[in-house]
Amino acid sequence: MTHSVLVVDDSRAARMMICGWLKQELPDWGIYDCGGGDEALALLEGAVFDVISIDFNMPTMDGLTLAEKLREARCTSKLVMYTANIQESIRQRAEWLDVRLVRKMGTRDSVVALAEAIRASLAS
């Protein structure tokens, strides 16, 4: 295992789909998941991930709030926002936080685009 990615999404079904397809696209990577921002922050107290994929619409803490908390904590993971909710205000805040955006469509092709963004984030 050369790299690791944490998938943060409140939908268990979405996490299973995303992780399953990511395992096919990134076979040598460790693929982990959790159900929300608080759980992600707790995980990151004892683990380091190369990339964190974050959904935007989650209860208790939206994805950009999580990204902001990660930046404040000086988290070195690359961040990718994988969401269907890409409005201009979200795009601008993501750019300010150095978070890549990938449109979530619930399809294999959109997970392939996520995998490409994950690979590209490590190259930058």
Side-chain angles (χ1 to χ4, degrees):
M1 178 171 41
T2 57
H3 297 291
S4 61
V5 62
L6 175 64
V7 175
V8 183
D9 196 307
D10 62 308
S11 167
R12 185 173 186 271
R15 286 194 317 270
M16 290 173 61
M17 177 198 68
I18 295 164
C19 290
W21 284 335
L22 281 178
K23 286 176 184 174
Q24 293 175 15
E25 293 300 314
L26 305 168
D28 296 332
W29 285 54
I31 310 293
Y32 305 90
D33 67 277
C34 68
D38 292 328
E39 189 179 345
L41 291 171
L43 273 173
L44 289 163
E45 289 179 12
V48 176
F49 299 94
D50 295 295
V51 180
I52 303 173
S53 167
I54 307 169
D55 184 26
F56 177 74
N57 291 316
M58 298 185 292
T60 70
M61 182 185 315
D62 70 51
L64 285 173
T65 300
L66 172 58
E68 192 170 319
K69 288 180 181 271
L70 293 171
R71 293 297 184 226
E72 288 170 359
R74 304 223 187 283
C75 175
T76 59
S77 302
K78 301 292 186 172
L79 304 181
V80 177
M81 178 87 34
Y82 184 56
T83 183
N85 190 359
I86 300 182
Q87 302 168 4
E88 187 57 29
S89 60
I90 292 171
R91 186 183 313 277
Q92 289 173 2
R93 191 165 166 215
E95 185 177 325
W96 183 77
L97 290 166
D98 192 27
V99 176
R100 287 179 184 261
L101 285 174
V102 177
R103 185 168 302 279
K104 180 181 186 180
M105 296 181 287
T107 65
R108 180 167 175 75
D109 287 345
S110 72
V111 176
V112 169
L114 173 61
E116 290 170 1
I118 288 170
R119 284 188 201 100
S121 69
L122 291 181
S124 61

